[in-house]
Amino acid sequence: CIASVQGTQFILQVITRLQQTNERESLQGWGKDLSKKHLLIAEGKTVRVGASILSHFRFSSSIFQQYLYKQMGDSERILLHGDVAAILEELYRGKEHEILYELARHYDLALMPEQAIHYLYMAGKEALFLGAYTEARLQLQRAAELLAELLDQDDIKKLEVDVWFYLSHAVRAIEGWNA
């Protein structure tokens, strides 16, 4: 099930764009069959993001979501993560800051390091400024790992310096000046 690629919570409009299906028909099917009849998903909040109205759902059980996710092959999952990331970028255009972590995760799992690094860096900086030092460290460490794989490219040298700069701040905030 494509929804499982998004995680335990998912946005219906991402699925309808991936499957190129009608939103209204999909919403009726998801709402009636899977939500009310089978109790596999639950409808969440509906939000407006720019010109789009996004319908959020969640799997009733993370075990069910993981089961569906593992039914796909690696290649299919990798491609779908890239597609999901691109659709999320489109839906949240100009408001990407609201979903930095999701974009970073999907691009990372899609094996698209340049895009993943960008969003990991942004998410890490945001977490650092919010005082979420452990989260900042996780995001920035992953960005640094991916950057190490791309080290031969001159255009990423400045970004690498920036990532290590913010990562050092996160580590210092967690472990103190002796880190």
Side-chain angles (χ1 to χ4, degrees):
C1 179
I2 292 174
S4 68
V5 172
Q6 290 184 66
T8 56
Q9 297 183 25
F10 57 94
I11 299 170
L12 179 70
Q13 286 71 16
V14 173
I15 297 165
T16 58
R17 289 184 186 207
L18 277 170
Q19 295 180 326
Q20 299 177 348
T21 56
N22 181 288
E23 251 180 72
R24 188 176 310 266
E25 290 172 12
S26 295
L27 190 56
Q28 289 171 346
W30 284 80
K32 287 180 183 172
D33 293 338
L34 295 175
S35 180
K36 294 179 179 135
K37 189 174 174 183
H38 301 294
L39 303 174
L40 298 176
I41 62 167
E43 190 169 358
K45 61 184 176 179
T46 300
V47 296
R48 177 176 289 281
V49 177
S52 300
I53 295 177
L54 304 180
S55 306
H56 291 255
F57 287 84
R58 65 176 172 76
F59 285 98
S60 298
S61 167
S62 62
I63 294 170
F64 181 62
Q65 178 267 330
Q66 291 169 11
Y67 168 78
L68 292 173
Y69 185 74
K70 290 178 180 176
Q71 296 307 300
M72 291 181 267
D74 288 342
S75 298
E76 184 180 9
R77 284 195 299 258
I78 289 166
L79 290 173
L80 284 171
H81 278 292
D83 292 343
V84 166
I87 291 168
L88 285 171
E89 274 185 323
E90 182 184 324
L91 290 171
Y92 280 84
R93 189 164 321 280
K95 295 185 179 284
E96 292 91 346
H97 64 278
E98 294 179 17
I99 57 164
L100 292 173
Y101 300 95
E102 290 88 345
L103 290 169
R105 176 180 162 269
H106 287 298
Y107 277 126
D108 193 9
L109 293 171
L111 305 180
M112 300 172 81
E114 290 89 356
Q115 294 91 330
I117 290 166
H118 171 74
Y119 288 112
L120 287 163
Y121 171 67
M122 299 297 287
K125 270 181 50 177
E126 178 181 89
L128 185 64
F129 292 134
L130 293 173
Y133 303 119
T134 303
E135 185 63 32
R137 181 182 195 173
L138 288 171
Q139 300 296 324
L140 293 165
Q141 276 182 327
R142 182 62 184 145
E145 291 168 6
L146 291 173
L147 278 164
E149 296 171 11
L150 303 175
L151 204 52
D152 294 339
Q153 299 178 15
D154 289 334
D155 58 336
I156 63 164
K157 298 287 187 197
K158 183 190 178 322
L159 180 58
E160 183 180 26
V161 170
D162 289 344
V163 165
W164 282 103
F165 173 77
Y166 287 109
L167 179 56
S168 69
H169 283 289
V171 170
R172 191 171 47 243
I174 294 168
E175 299 178 13
W177 284 96
N178 295 328

